[in-house]
């Protein structure tokens, strides 16, 4: 089971502490932190925050996986500035195979 969000995944138990507007803003604009714990009942796949924030690399940014969290934003928005780091990351949910453009 997957939950795809742009910003951050919010567990059902925590969702009730937000207003509907706050909840929507978080799932769209919130940022997952390296030390965050993933959901218990699914795998959360998110973007918005470049995976370079989670891993240090000498090569291009890659899809980041930790527990039940998967970050797929490989920094394409910054390609004009950092073409040696940024690229489009794609993930096949059926096979978990990674593709990069």
């Amino acid at each position: 089971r997957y939950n795809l969000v742009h910003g951050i995944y919010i567990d059902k138990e925590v969702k009730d502490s937000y207003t509907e507007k706050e909840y929507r803003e978080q799932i769209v604009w919130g940022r997952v932190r390296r030390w965050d714990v993933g959901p218990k009942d699914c795998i959360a796949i998110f973007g918005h925050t470049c995976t370079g924030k989670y891993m240090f690399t000498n090569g291009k940014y890659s899809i980041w996986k930790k527990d039940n969290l998967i970050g797929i934003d490989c920094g394409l928005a910054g390609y004009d500035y950092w073409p040696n780091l940024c690229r489009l990351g794609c993930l096949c949910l059926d096979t978990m195979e990674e593709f990069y453009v």
Side-chain angles (χ1 to χ4, degrees), residues 52-93:
K53 298 264 184 191
Y54 309 116
M55 59 202 320
F56 302 102
T57 179
N58 291 327
K60 292 187 177 272
Y61 295 141
S62 300
I63 292 172
W64 175 79
K65 298 175 184 172
K66 177 193 167 220
D67 301 326
N68 286 349
L69 293 170
I70 300 177
I72 60 169
D73 184 333
C74 295
L76 190 59
Y79 183 81
D80 287 343
Y81 302 100
W82 305 287
N84 294 332
L85 291 174
C86 303
R87 59 186 172 168
L88 176 65
C90 306
L91 180 67
C92 176
L93 299 183

